[in-house]
Amino acid sequence: MSNKLKIELSPQYAEHLELIKQIIPSETGEQITDDSKMVEVLIDSFMAFIQEQVAYEEHAHDGGCCGGGWHDHGHSHEHGKEEWGCCKH
């Protein structure tokens, strides 16, 4: 794999990228003006999201109560609904 990739975006995605560059700042808090840098930031953000999901799934499979879906603990909850996510007793 080469160190550099050339990516062509459709006009719709180019517009989205311009908007994202105005919203997401660089690590130093400055506006990102370079398309390549913005794509790198987006990839880094997505990879961090994937790592969080993997850690969450590992926790759920290590005997943790999180992530298993709806939990019914045999007692009433607000509005009669079961809890989602980590169990809180």
Side-chain angles (χ1 to χ4, degrees):
M1 177 184 247
S2 69
N3 290 335
K4 293 185 178 192
L5 299 172
K6 182 178 179 178
I7 299 173
E8 293 184 30
L9 297 174
S10 68
Q12 176 188 1
Y13 286 103
E15 288 176 22
H16 291 302
L17 189 62
E18 287 302 315
L19 178 62
I20 291 170
K21 287 191 306 188
Q22 294 174 25
I23 296 171
I24 300 176
S26 70
E27 292 175 351
T28 60
E30 299 172 10
Q31 183 176 353
I32 298 171
T33 57
D34 181 72
D35 290 344
S36 296
K37 181 63 180 170
M38 190 70 249
V39 171
E40 290 173 1
V41 168
L42 290 171
I43 291 171
D44 287 343
S45 296
F46 184 70
M47 292 305 298
F49 170 76
I50 295 296
Q51 291 170 345
E52 287 176 10
Q53 296 303 305
V54 167
Y56 181 80
E57 287 296 320
E58 287 175 353
H59 173 72
H61 290 112
D62 287 340
C65 169
C66 298
W70 292 98
H71 300 286
D72 184 358
H73 303 292
H75 56 278
S76 63
H77 297 281
E78 237 181 273
H79 308 290
K81 295 181 181 177
E82 295 87 2
E83 292 179 27
W84 172 256
C86 290
C87 297
K88 296 177 183 175
H89 298 281

